Amino acid sequence: MMIFYKERLALLSVPKTGTTALQEALRDRADLIISDPPQLKHAPLYRYNRWIRPMFDKVCGAELEVVAVMREPISWLGSWFRYRQRPALDGHANSTRDLTFDAFVKAYCKGKPPAYANVGSQAKFLEAQPNGCKVDHLFRYEDTDALRLFLEHRLDTDIRLERRNVSPQAALTLTPEAEAHLRRKRAAEFDLYESIPAANQPVQSA
C-alpha cells in the first residue's frame, strides 16, 4: 500500500497485479509505503477502512481517494498457480508443483479451498464498505497505460515500470468445463472485472 498525502491518494496493493513494480517506481515519491509484512502490504479495502483511513481522518482531517488494480480472474489465478510452483515451495502444503491448472481452479472453487488454492478473492478485497468507503479509481491490470497515465497526472511525475516478482512459466490450459464451473462459482469476480472499462478511463466501483 502507498499513500500520497498531498494528492489525497491511497494505492491498494492487490496481490498479483503488478503493484510491487509500482512501489519500486514510486518509492521516493510516496509519503507512506507499507511493504511488509504481507498482511499489511496487501491490506484489502476493509483493513484500509478500519486502520489507515481513520488515522488520516482523525489526525489530518483528510479523506483519501482509493486507487486499485484488478486482474482478469483467470489470468489472476494463473499467476497464483505459477507462483506457487516455484521450487522454494516444494513439499509445502501450498505448492502447486504436481497439479494441473484445471485441478487448481476446481480446488479454488470449493467452499474451503485447500492451502494451495486458498488465494482469496479480488472482489472481496475491493468490496465497498457499509460506511461508504470504496475504491474510487479501479483499473484493469491489462490496461497498464491507463493506471500509469492517471498516476503521472495526479502525482505530476514520470513513471518507469520494471517487472517484479515474475512467476515461473507453466501450462495454463483450462477446460471449458472447469472455466464454466469457475464462472458460476465465482461470478462476483467476473462481474466486477467486466464493470471496468477496457479503455483508458477509470471507473468507480459499485
Side-chain angles (χ1 to χ4, degrees):
M1 181 187 299
M2 287 190 289
I3 303 295
F4 305 92
Y5 177 69
K6 185 176 72 174
E7 293 80 10
R8 300 295 195 267
L9 284 181
L11 176 62
L12 301 185
S13 182
V14 182
K16 316 308 292 178
T17 62
T19 47
T20 298
L22 276 172
Q23 283 195 358
E24 290 296 323
L26 295 171
R27 180 167 296 278
D28 295 332
R29 183 64 178 76
D31 297 299
L32 174 64
I33 297 177
I34 303 177
S35 56
D36 228 4
Q39 295 90 335
L40 293 180
K41 173 184 177 180
H42 298 296
L45 185 66
Y46 68 83
R47 283 196 187 133
Y48 166 82
N49 183 50
R50 182 178 297 175
W51 304 110
I52 307 300
R53 180 177 174 272
M55 178 173 66
F56 284 93
D57 179 30
K58 294 177 181 178
V59 177
C60 307
E63 185 71 37
L64 309 183
E65 295 177 38
V66 177
V67 185
V69 181
M70 183 179 186
R71 190 167 182 165
E72 192 281 322
I74 297 175
S75 173
W76 185 72
L77 288 174
S79 183
W80 272 116
F81 176 72
R82 295 195 311 272
Y83 182 68
R84 291 190 165 184
Q85 289 200 331
R86 67 193 192 279
L89 294 181
D90 287 356
H92 291 262
N94 57 352
S95 173
T96 60
R97 180 176 181 179
D98 297 322
L99 293 172
T100 64
F101 189 41
D102 245 36
F104 174 77
V105 168
K106 289 177 181 177
Y108 172 73
C109 290
K110 292 182 177 179
K112 292 185 178 180
Y116 62 81
N118 188 13
V119 297
S121 158
Q122 292 185 96
K124 187 67 177 177
F125 189 109
L126 300 167
E127 185 177 43
Q129 299 302 291
N131 67 348
C133 181
K134 66 184 187 305
V135 175
D136 300 286
H137 306 282
L138 184 56
F139 295 86
R140 292 187 179 202
Y141 167 84
E142 293 75 14
D143 288 338
T144 305
D145 285 346
L147 175 63
R148 181 180 57 79
L149 290 171
F150 171 82
L151 290 174
E152 285 185 340
H153 175 72
R154 287 293 295 264
L155 304 177
D156 191 24
T157 189
D158 292 330
I159 299 175
R160 297 291 180 266
L161 297 176
E162 297 183 12
R163 298 186 72 188
R164 291 287 187 271
N165 290 345
V166 180
S167 299
Q169 293 299 310
L172 295 178
T173 302
L174 192 61
T175 63
E177 292 78 13
E179 180 175 344
H181 183 67
L182 172 64
R183 289 181 177 276
R184 184 173 66 254
K185 287 289 187 177
R186 301 286 183 158
E189 310 293 324
F190 292 93
D191 289 345
L192 179 57
Y193 182 79
E194 291 301 326
S195 75
I196 309 170
N200 292 346
Q201 293 293 330
V203 65
Q204 289 189 350
S205 62

